[in-house]
Amino acid sequence: MGKLFRIEGKSARVVLDSDESNLVSLVSDGAGGVYAGGDSKGRVVQVRANGSVRTVFDAPEDEVRALAIGPDRALYAAALAASAVATEEEGDSERPVPVRAAVSGGKATVYRIVPDSSATAWWSSPQPFVFALAGTPGGVVAATGNRAGLYRLERAGDATQWLAAPQGQITALTTDPRGRLYAATSNPAVLWRLGPGAATRGELRSGVLDARRIARFGRIRWQGRAAGGPVELETRSGNTDPPDTTWSAWQGGATGAEGARIASPPGRYLQWKVALAGKETAIESVEASWREQNLAPN
C-alpha cells in the first residue's frame, strides 16, 4: 500500500502507511508536516510535524493527482475520475484500480479545501486530466492533458487559459524565488518558462474545430482591441484529430477586425492561431465560418 517515508540523513522511517494503492501527490502544509494524495480511494491525508495523521478530504473521485497551497493559504486538490472504473477482486471485495493511461471519458475537478472548515468544488477542467497544480501570486495554476494547457484559477468556477502548448500533456509545475513559473511537458518533453512580467508578443492556438463532414471554409474574424501592433491570424485544416503531418501548412497573416477569407483547403477539421503584439491588445473572440459539402441522396 502507499507509504510515506521521512528521510533524515542516511536513515528513513515510515510516517504513513495508507490504504491507498499509491501516494501520488505531496505538498508541505507550511508547519513542518505534509499533505499527501492517493490514487485508489481519492483521499487527502495530513501528516503533522508531531507525527499524527488525519484525513482532511475524501474526494468522490478515485485519485488525487496534484496538490498545492494557494495564495489564500487554502489547500487545492486535483481529483480525477474515469467514466468507467475497472475493478479487481480481493477475496470477497472489490476496489478501484488506479487509472494508468488516458481515458476519453475522464473528468478532472479541482477542490478548494480549508481543513476543519470546508471543501468546495472550485473548477471543472475542460480536459480529462489535471496533472499538476502550483500556487502563484495571481492564483492557483492547473496543468492539463491530454490537450496540454495551463489555466489560472482566479475565482470559483472561472479560469483564464494562460498557455495552450502544442505538446500532449503538461505534467509538472514549479516556481522560483523570482516568481517565474516552469512547466514541464511530455509527448514530447519540453520545458516552458512563464512570467511574471508580460511578454511583448504572444500566441494562442485554438482547439480543433470539427465540421462533422468535409467542409469549405469561408471567413475568419476576431473581436477585441488591437493596440501596439497587428493581430496576426492564421489557419490550417486536415482530416485527422489531433493534427498530424497530413494537415495543410499555416496560412494567413495580419488581419483587421473586418476579417479575411480562410485560405486553408477543404477538410473536416480546422484550427486557428492568433499572434498578438502590445500589452494593451486584447482578443475577446474568434469566429470562423464554413459550409459542409453536399452529400448524394440515399
Side-chain angles (χ1 to χ4, degrees):
M1 307 300 276
K3 295 181 180 181
L4 180 66
F5 290 81
R6 182 181 183 91
I7 300 173
E8 297 175 301
K10 296 182 179 180
S11 64
R13 60 184 176 89
V14 175
V15 294
L16 172 63
D17 187 356
S18 74
D19 292 333
E20 301 280 359
S21 296
N22 302 281
L23 297 177
V24 295
S25 54
L26 193 68
V27 70
S28 169
D29 67 2
V34 296
Y35 296 107
D39 72 350
S40 59
K41 296 183 180 296
R43 293 170 181 166
V44 179
V45 177
Q46 183 184 20
V47 181
R48 295 188 178 100
N50 63 9
S52 62
V53 176
R54 62 170 181 163
T55 296
V56 297
F57 182 59
D58 188 358
E61 293 80 9
D62 314 305
E63 177 178 349
V64 177
R65 177 63 65 92
L67 295 167
I69 302 298
D72 57 356
R73 305 310 301 166
L75 173 65
Y76 290 80
L80 313 181
S83 57
V85 179
T87 61
E88 65 181 11
E89 293 187 1
E90 289 189 343
D92 296 328
S93 64
E94 293 185 345
R95 66 178 179 86
V97 176
V99 175
R100 298 301 184 192
V103 290
S104 59
K107 180 182 178 182
T109 302
V110 175
Y111 293 89
R112 181 181 183 270
I113 304 162
V114 180
D116 299 327
S117 178
S118 64
T120 306
W122 199 248
W123 178 68
S124 294
S125 170
Q127 303 300 332
F129 294 98
V130 172
F131 287 109
L133 297 173
T136 71
V140 171
V141 176
T144 67
N146 282 315
R147 294 193 188 277
L150 277 182
Y151 295 83
R152 185 154 47 202
L153 316 185
E154 297 161 339
R155 60 188 67 86
D158 190 18
T160 298
Q161 187 169 5
W162 193 0
L163 173 68
Q167 291 78 36
Q169 301 88 22
I170 298 178
T171 52
L173 297 172
T174 191
T175 57
D176 68 11
R178 297 174 61 181
R180 295 177 295 191
L181 177 70
Y182 294 84
T185 74
S186 60
N187 296 322
V190 173
L191 182 64
W192 290 79
R193 187 182 72 189
L194 301 95
T200 57
R201 179 182 171 84
E203 180 181 293
L204 175 66
R205 295 190 185 191
S206 74
V208 174
L209 309 178
D210 185 0
R212 304 299 179 185
R213 295 199 294 266
I214 301 296
R216 293 184 180 275
F217 302 105
R219 295 184 66 83
I220 189 167
R221 66 175 184 171
W222 56 270
Q223 293 183 337
R225 180 182 71 257
V231 174
E232 298 177 10
L233 196 54
E234 297 180 88
T235 63
R236 63 176 179 174
S237 60
N239 292 311
T240 63
D241 183 17
D244 61 14
T245 57
T246 66
W247 275 51
S248 66
W250 290 104
Q251 293 177 276
T255 307
E258 70 280 1
R261 178 168 292 279
I262 296 173
S264 302
R268 174 173 172 173
Y269 301 102
L270 181 75
Q271 186 179 36
W272 55 259
K273 67 177 179 179
V274 61
L276 308 177
K279 295 181 179 180
E280 301 302 320
T281 298
I283 299 299
E284 297 173 356
S285 65
V286 174
E287 299 176 355
S289 63
W290 66 81
R291 183 176 63 188
E292 298 175 1
Q293 298 282 69
N294 288 331
L295 299 178
N298 293 331

